């Protein structure tokens, strides 16, 4: 046996023997539950983990399925659909909501009733003959007192005993003037056509010595029984005198007619008398109001439920509401709060005076003229006093609206001589009828004129010999400025060289004229044209 020397190291036969060199070992996994040698030994009473930590370490299968759901094709489709929905809501819904929210703060047209609709019972049996003077002291609503007239019936012709003979009867009543007067029929329009007709005339009493209101009524009838079944009753409720024309049901007299004429004369006074309200509901009655403006100032004048013409010489009130159908409205109207002239199938010829004097509060004076298949010819005169000029309402001094179709519209809006410049908003709409609108030189604001299949025209006009208002040294002269000029659309502003975007929108007027199939002309006049409305 051969022994090697100690200094002779044993070398491997193969220099690349894999057994030679460092050994790579996989590290041993450490069980978190098993304590390491470096950690202190567990205590005798270990603390149990809480419920939240257990859920965080071991999520429930439901949560795992919910998380995996949004990674599926169906979940991704639903997510994309929700994103598209919210994008559409942001693009379409939010602007629509903002427009509606903005409209909530704009002026809204509205009307209200003159008096409360108190049920009116069938008149009691006709009382004995009463005198021409009536006691109409205020009564309580629980027990209103009705006084019904007895007609002064003419005697029948000699030898005539037939109760169906035609005739004429009349009556005359006088009553003290209280806060309000209302006249109405007991039946609706559907039951009165070709059965009841009449006229109402309201004027000042030429006799200055008569202190009471005087009502005169006359009836023309085709059947005496129909006449006897009719009556004229008065009552006083809430310090308002109510005159009711009672006629029987048409079924009782299907082939007969009755015509009733009413004339109301108001007492005169040295100064204009303030009158709370005057209202009528008289279907089939033509209504004529005389020259009441210089003598009476109404709080509210309301003529409604009429199907016949309404003619007014002159009237002054805080609010005026006139509604009829298939008939014409014409006259001179002056108001400080609002004017509504509304008919369905008739013309409107009106000379209108609007006042904004900041009494009793800061408010916008409103005007609505509406009809259909009938022309509108209106001269509108504006008056703004100094207080309202320096402290204008939020929506301007005047809001005006004109509407018709299949008929022309001719409107002229001017300031009176002593008026300050007004903040004016005009909206006019028509179809198949031309629009001709004239503004005076005091107007300042924007204009937007649009039509279809027709032409628009906006230009300056002047009257020979007329002068324009003086221009102050620190104020630039107003001019016509055009932002868009097309055949069917013209837009711009009247004022200085500054664009409307540089102003507060509440500090400028606005004129919007819209039409279809007919032309539109907007004139900017340097003087007031003739105030004659109708030849």
């Amino acid at each position: 046996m051969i022994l090697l020397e100690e200094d002779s190291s044993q070398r491997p036969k193969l220099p690349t023997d894999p057994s030679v060199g460092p050994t790579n070992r996989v590290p041993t996994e450490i069980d978190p539950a098993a304590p390491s040698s470096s950690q202190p030994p567990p205590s005798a009473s270990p603390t149990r983990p809480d419920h939240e930590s257990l859920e965080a370490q071991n999520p429930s299968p439901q949560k795992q399925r919910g998380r995996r759901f949004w990674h599926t094709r169906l979940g991704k489709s639903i997510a994309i659909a929700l994103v598209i929905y919210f994008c559409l809501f942001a693009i379409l819904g939010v602007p629509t909501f903002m427009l509606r929210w903005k409209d909530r703060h704009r002026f809204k047209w509205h009307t209200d009733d003159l008096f409360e609709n108190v049920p009116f019972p069938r008149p009691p049996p006709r009382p004995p003959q009463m005198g021409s003077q009536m006691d109409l002291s205020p009564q309580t609503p629980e027990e209103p007192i009705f006084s019904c007239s007895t007609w002064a019936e003419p005697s029948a012709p000699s030898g005539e005993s037939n109760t169906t003979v035609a005739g004429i009867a009349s009556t005359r009543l006088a009553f003290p003037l209280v806060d309000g007067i209302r006249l109405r029929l007991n039946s609706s329009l559907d039951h009165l056509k070709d059965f009841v007709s009449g006229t109402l005339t309201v004027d000042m009493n030429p006799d200055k010595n008569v202190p009471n209101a005087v009502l005169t009524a006359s009836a023309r009838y085709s059947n005496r029984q129909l006449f006897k079944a009719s009556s004229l009753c008065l009552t006083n409720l809430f310090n308002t005198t109510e005159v009711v024309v009672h006629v029987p049901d048409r079924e009782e007299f299907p082939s007969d007619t009755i015509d009733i004429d009413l004339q109301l004369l108001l007492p005169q006074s040295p100064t204009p008398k303030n009158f709370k309200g005057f209202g009528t509901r008289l279907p089939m009655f033509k209504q004529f109001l005389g020259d009441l403006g210089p003598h009476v100032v109404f709080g509210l004048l309301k003529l409604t439920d009429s199907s016949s013409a309404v003619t007014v010489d002159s009237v002054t009130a805080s609010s005026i509401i006139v509604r009829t159908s298939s008939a014409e409205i014409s006259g001179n109207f002056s108001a400080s709060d609002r004017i509504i002239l509304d008919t369905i199938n008739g013309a409107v010829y009106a000379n209108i005076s609007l006042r904004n004097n900041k009494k009793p509060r800061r408010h916008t004076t409103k005007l609505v003229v509406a009809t259909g298949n009938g022309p509108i010819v209106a001269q509108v005169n504006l008056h703004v006093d100094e207080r309202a000029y320096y402290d204008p309402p939020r929506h301007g001094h005047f809001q005006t609206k004109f509407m018709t179709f299949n008929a022309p519209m001719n409107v002229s809006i001017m300031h009176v001589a002593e008026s300050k410049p007004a903040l004016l908003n005009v909206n006019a709409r028509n179809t198949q009828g031309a629009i001709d609108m004239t503004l005076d030189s005091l107007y300042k604001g924007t204009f937007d004129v649009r039509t279809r299949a027709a032409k628009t025209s906006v230009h300056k006009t002047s009257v020979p010999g007329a002068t324009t208002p003086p221009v102050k040294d620190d104020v630039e002269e107003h001019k016509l400025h055009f932002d868009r000029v097309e055949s069917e659309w013209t837009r711009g502003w009247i004022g200085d060289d500054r664009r409307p975007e540089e102003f507060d929108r509440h500090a400028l007027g606005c004129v919007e004229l819209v039409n279809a199939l007919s032309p539109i002309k907007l004139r900017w006049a340097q003087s007031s044209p003739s105030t004659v409305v109708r030849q």
Side-chain angles (χ1 to χ4, degrees):
M1 181 176 181
I2 299 174
L3 298 174
L4 298 177
E5 296 179 359
E6 294 181 353
D7 56 350
S8 299
S9 61
Q10 186 178 358
R11 296 183 179 181
K13 297 179 180 181
L14 297 176
T16 59
D17 190 352
S19 61
V20 180
T23 301
N24 296 326
R25 296 181 178 179
V26 178
T28 305
E29 293 184 358
I30 301 175
D31 188 359
S36 61
S37 60
S38 62
Q39 292 179 349
S43 59
S45 59
T47 304
R48 298 180 61 185
D50 57 357
H51 180 72
E52 288 77 5
S53 60
L54 290 177
E55 283 192 349
Q57 296 176 3
N58 301 313
S60 63
Q62 290 82 0
K63 290 186 177 181
Q64 293 180 356
R65 286 196 297 268
R67 293 173 183 175
R68 289 196 300 268
F69 170 76
W70 294 107
H71 296 282
T72 62
R73 181 176 298 179
L74 178 60
K76 292 180 180 179
S77 301
I78 295 177
I80 294 174
L82 290 175
V83 172
I84 295 175
Y85 171 78
F86 284 112
C87 291
L88 292 176
F89 175 77
I91 296 173
L92 302 177
V94 173
T96 303
F97 171 77
M98 295 300 296
L99 289 175
R100 292 186 177 181
W101 179 85
K102 184 179 179 180
D103 290 339
R104 291 176 62 246
H105 301 277
R106 292 182 178 178
F107 165 76
K108 295 182 180 179
W109 301 98
H110 66 278
T111 59
D112 51 17
D113 293 332
L114 173 59
F115 303 109
E116 297 181 6
N117 293 325
V118 181
F120 192 84
R122 191 178 183 89
R126 185 168 297 166
Q129 177 74 27
M130 64 180 179
S132 60
Q133 181 70 29
M134 300 184 63
D135 181 15
L136 288 178
S137 57
Q139 307 295 331
T140 60
E142 292 78 8
E143 297 180 356
I145 295 179
F146 299 97
S147 300
C148 298
S149 66
T150 299
W151 298 86
E153 185 179 0
S155 59
S158 58
E160 184 67 57
S161 59
N162 187 5
T163 58
T164 61
V165 66
I168 300 176
S170 62
T171 187
R172 183 178 183 274
L173 306 173
F175 52 90
L177 197 61
V178 289
D179 289 344
I181 296 179
R182 180 169 64 177
L183 299 95
R184 68 183 183 94
L185 271 168
N186 69 316
S187 186
S188 62
L189 177 63
D190 298 336
H191 299 85
L192 298 176
K193 190 174 182 181
D194 300 327
F195 176 54
V196 177
S197 61
T199 60
L200 169 66
T201 303
V202 182
D203 210 338
M204 303 304 299
N205 197 327
D207 190 352
K208 299 181 180 180
N209 298 322
V210 178
N212 296 323
V214 178
L215 177 65
T216 303
S218 61
R220 292 178 294 273
Y221 49 89
S222 62
N223 188 317
R224 187 168 297 174
Q225 295 299 323
L226 169 61
F227 162 72
K228 289 184 177 182
S230 305
S231 61
L232 184 66
C233 298
L234 287 85
T235 187
N236 188 292
L237 192 61
F238 300 115
N239 207 27
T240 298
T241 300
E242 185 174 41
V243 180
V244 178
V245 180
H246 180 272
V247 294
D249 294 335
R250 185 172 184 175
E251 289 75 9
E252 302 177 16
F253 306 92
S255 59
D256 293 302
T257 59
I258 184 170
D259 184 85
I260 301 174
D261 294 334
L262 302 175
Q263 183 185 47
L264 177 63
L265 299 179
L266 302 178
Q268 295 195 26
S269 61
T271 58
K273 183 177 179 58
N274 292 322
F275 206 49
K276 182 177 180 181
F278 182 87
T280 64
R281 290 181 178 177
L282 297 172
M284 311 306 297
F285 272 61
K286 296 180 180 179
Q287 302 185 45
F288 301 92
L289 273 66
D291 189 15
L292 305 178
H295 308 283
V296 181
V297 178
F298 296 98
L300 175 59
L301 176 72
K302 188 172 183 180
L303 313 177
T304 59
D305 292 348
S306 176
S307 59
S308 301
V310 177
T311 304
V312 178
D313 286 346
S314 71
V315 67
T316 302
S318 296
S319 299
I320 299 175
I321 301 175
V322 180
R323 285 196 173 97
T324 183
S325 60
S326 305
E328 177 183 305
I329 298 176
S330 61
N332 298 274
F333 307 89
S334 177
S336 58
D337 190 4
R338 69 183 183 273
I339 296 179
I340 299 176
L341 307 178
D342 185 6
T343 181
I344 297 177
N345 189 20
V348 177
Y349 301 97
N351 195 329
I352 300 170
S353 296
L354 300 177
R355 309 181 308 276
N356 193 297
N357 51 11
K358 201 182 174 183
K359 290 182 179 180
R361 66 191 185 283
R362 188 176 65 169
H363 68 283
T364 300
T365 304
K366 290 141 289 200
L367 169 66
V368 176
V369 180
T371 183
N373 201 29
I376 293 178
V377 180
Q379 169 72 42
V380 182
N381 301 312
L382 308 179
H383 180 268
V384 177
D385 66 2
E386 190 171 355
R387 293 187 306 169
Y389 172 71
Y390 288 107
D391 189 15
R394 178 177 176 82
H395 298 289
H397 296 106
F398 302 102
Q399 293 271 2
T400 63
K401 182 178 291 188
F402 306 89
M403 296 177 291
T404 187
F405 61 88
N406 198 30
M409 178 188 300
N410 192 326
V411 179
S412 178
I413 303 178
M414 302 289 163
H415 291 73
V416 298
E418 61 275 11
S419 174
K420 294 288 186 179
L423 290 176
L424 173 66
N425 292 332
V426 181
N427 185 289
R429 298 181 181 273
N430 198 351
T431 303
Q432 299 183 359
I435 296 179
D436 195 329
M437 180 75 64
T438 303
L439 305 175
D440 67 356
S441 58
L442 292 183
Y443 173 76
K444 177 183 177 181
T446 61
F447 58 85
D448 192 349
V449 182
R450 304 189 304 273
T451 186
R452 293 183 180 179
K455 293 184 178 181
T456 62
S457 173
V458 179
H459 61 276
K460 178 179 178 181
T461 183
S462 60
V463 177
T467 58
T468 58
V471 179
K472 298 181 180 180
D473 296 337
D474 57 345
V475 177
E476 188 175 351
E477 183 182 0
H478 290 181
K479 300 178 182 179
L480 268 176
H481 302 271
F482 294 93
D483 182 65
R484 179 171 183 169
V485 179
E486 297 180 2
S487 176
E488 298 181 354
W489 192 356
T490 303
R491 183 176 62 189
W493 73 94
I494 298 175
D496 53 31
D497 292 335
R498 291 175 295 176
R499 293 186 60 84
E501 294 82 2
E502 302 180 30
F503 292 87
D504 182 2
R505 64 185 181 92
H506 298 293
L508 292 177
C510 177
V511 174
E512 183 181 11
L513 311 179
V514 181
N515 203 351
L517 307 178
S518 293
I520 303 178
K521 291 183 179 180
L522 176 61
R523 310 171 191 268
W524 185 44
Q526 299 302 302
S527 64
S528 299
S530 174
T531 58
V532 176
V533 174
R534 188 181 181 190
Q535 301 292 339

